Amino acid sequence: MAPVSAEISKRGYKEYIIHTGQHFDDNMSKVFFDELNIPQPNLSLSLGTGSHGKMTALMLMELEIILQEKKPSGVIIYGDTNSTLAAALAAVKLHIPIAHVEAGPRIYDINTPEEINRIVADHAAKLRFCPDIVSVQNLAKENILNGVYFTGDVMFDSYLIFSKVAREKSTIINSLNLNTNEYALLTIHRPNNTDTEDALKRVIKVLENAKMKIVFPVHPRTEAAFKRHGLWESLKAINHAKVIPAVGYLDILELINNAKIVLTDSGGLQKEAFFAGKPVLVLFHTTPWPQIQSCGWQKCCWDNNGIDVNRVIELISSYMPTNRRPNLFGDGNAASKIVDLLENHGWFK
């Protein structure tokens, strides 16, 4: 949201930011507001933790009350989180127009929570801002034709703006004693890779057998999973793996920009690696960005039961795309185009 928020402010308009509390760890939340100069939330919900259903329901209840009180001219929602779903449901039932930023990506796996969230958000929205042409085509397949705009990707805006800031401010490369293009960056957080002992052992096996140094910033829920299954000490004992806490946005940009290759199950990180010109091994059975795979800049490493360890080990030191890296996600001015469209549709009164 950082580029959109900055553009709204630059034009003299007001926004009311609600932090749902879905991400409550400082390294997954507060640090982003601090580093990206996002205005502090006008309201932060304190909902604790719980199941997908419980958390979505609690957010829905609280958001409905706030929207009835504030009566906004519209609600902007981002991505595919449970917060996105709760805000979409709250707003659409109150007949408040919704603008969905990053509308249209699909992996066609209804068992993935993010897929449900994004489908509902896209169908509830009045305005749908697509990061790429494939997303526009996906919406057309669902007969969503009106209010659909290819704006480019706000994450690309952020990448271009904050990579420069990261080079100046981040010290993580030196603090971890890393050399450019001599390590792999690994992140995992999906339930498929963290909810069972077998899935976690596959991650450990990759780290133990990879012929390259691997930097592994550990998501809080991933760390909890390793500890729950008694594997945390085994993970930390791997000599050529640097297991570190989750890091802020500027640090992760520096880690991406200086890595040789990226291993991840994160859809967002897949894009950021592509922006940086880094090949990606996708630790999931599919990707929301098939066009990156089609142009040769990422490969899925998954067998019937989880991460395909042997394929990862084989590719981590040998995979180097030879195809040209096409421009898939716009020109870096998505936020300006989004706010133009919001103006044109009378959202700012």
Side-chain angles (χ1 to χ4, degrees), residues 159 253 256-258 271-278 297 325:
Y159 174 81
L253 286 183
I256 293 168
N257 286 332
N258 288 278
K271 283 191 299 183
E272 288 166 329
F274 180 74
F275 302 156
K278 306 297 178 178
W297 279 82
R325 185 164 51 97

Side-chain angles (χ1 to χ4, degrees), residues 25-171:
D25 183 277
D26 278 354
N27 282 338
M28 300 298 294
S29 176
K30 182 178 182 297
V31 68
F32 290 91
F33 284 87
D34 294 342
E35 292 183 348
L36 277 70
N37 297 318
I38 302 170
Q40 289 301 305
N42 298 87
L43 181 67
S44 295
L45 307 181
S46 299
L47 303 178
T49 60
S51 66
H52 281 277
K54 177 183 175 183
M55 297 309 298
T56 304
L58 289 173
M59 286 188 280
L60 173 57
M61 291 169 58
E62 295 291 332
L63 290 170
E64 182 180 58
I65 293 169
I66 298 161
L67 294 178
Q68 286 176 318
E69 176 189 335
K70 296 297 178 182
K71 295 180 173 58
S73 56
V75 173
I76 304 175
I77 56 177
Y78 295 85
D80 59 10
T81 66
N82 288 340
S83 300
T84 310
L85 173 63
L89 291 172
V92 75
K93 288 177 179 292
L94 293 172
H95 308 292
I96 300 172
I98 299 163
H100 186 198
V101 177
E102 200 185 69
R106 296 288 186 268
I107 62 172
Y108 298 102
D109 177 6
I110 209 72
N111 293 316
T112 303
E114 294 90 343
E115 185 83 344
I116 300 293
N117 296 346
R118 206 184 288 270
I119 289 170
V120 173
D122 283 339
H123 282 264
K126 292 287 187 185
L127 300 176
R128 304 160 187 94
F129 302 134
C130 298
D132 59 340
I133 294 298
V134 173
S135 295
V136 175
Q137 295 168 343
N138 290 341
L139 292 175
K141 293 176 187 175
E142 298 172 23
N143 203 33
I144 302 175
L145 303 172
N146 297 323
V148 176
Y149 301 94
F150 167 51
T151 57
D153 199 322
V154 289
M155 286 185 68
F156 188 35
D157 292 22
S158 287
Y159 174 81
L160 294 175
I161 295 165
F162 291 102
S163 283
K164 299 172 186 176
V165 179
R167 279 196 301 272
E168 297 170 359
K169 293 189 175 182
S170 173
T171 60

Side-chain angles (χ1 to χ4, degrees), residues 252-294:
I252 202 71
L253 286 183
E254 273 295 272
L255 288 171
I256 293 168
N257 286 332
N258 288 278
K260 182 178 179 62
I261 190 168
V262 173
L263 291 63
T264 187
D265 61 6
S266 162
L269 207 67
Q270 291 172 38
K271 283 191 299 183
E272 288 166 329
F274 180 74
F275 302 156
K278 306 297 178 178
V280 177
L281 301 183
V282 178
L283 307 182
F284 198 52
H285 67 87
T286 188
T287 171
W289 318 112
Q291 65 274 42
I292 299 179
Q293 188 167 301
S294 296

Side-chain angles (χ1 to χ4, degrees), residues 143-203:
N143 203 33
I144 302 175
L145 303 172
N146 297 323
V148 176
Y149 301 94
F150 167 51
T151 57
D153 199 322
V154 289
M155 286 185 68
F156 188 35
D157 292 22
S158 287
Y159 174 81
L160 294 175
I161 295 165
F162 291 102
S163 283
K164 299 172 186 176
V165 179
R167 279 196 301 272
E168 297 170 359
K169 293 189 175 182
S170 173
T171 60
I172 196 164
I173 302 300
N174 288 335
S175 65
L176 294 178
N177 194 27
L178 299 171
N179 295 319
T180 300
N181 290 325
E182 292 186 5
Y183 67 90
L185 174 65
L186 165 68
T187 78
I188 59 165
H189 74 284
R190 290 185 180 275
N192 311 66
N193 288 325
T194 59
D195 280 1
T196 67
E197 184 175 351
D198 175 70
L200 296 169
K201 284 183 175 178
R202 287 175 184 245
V203 176

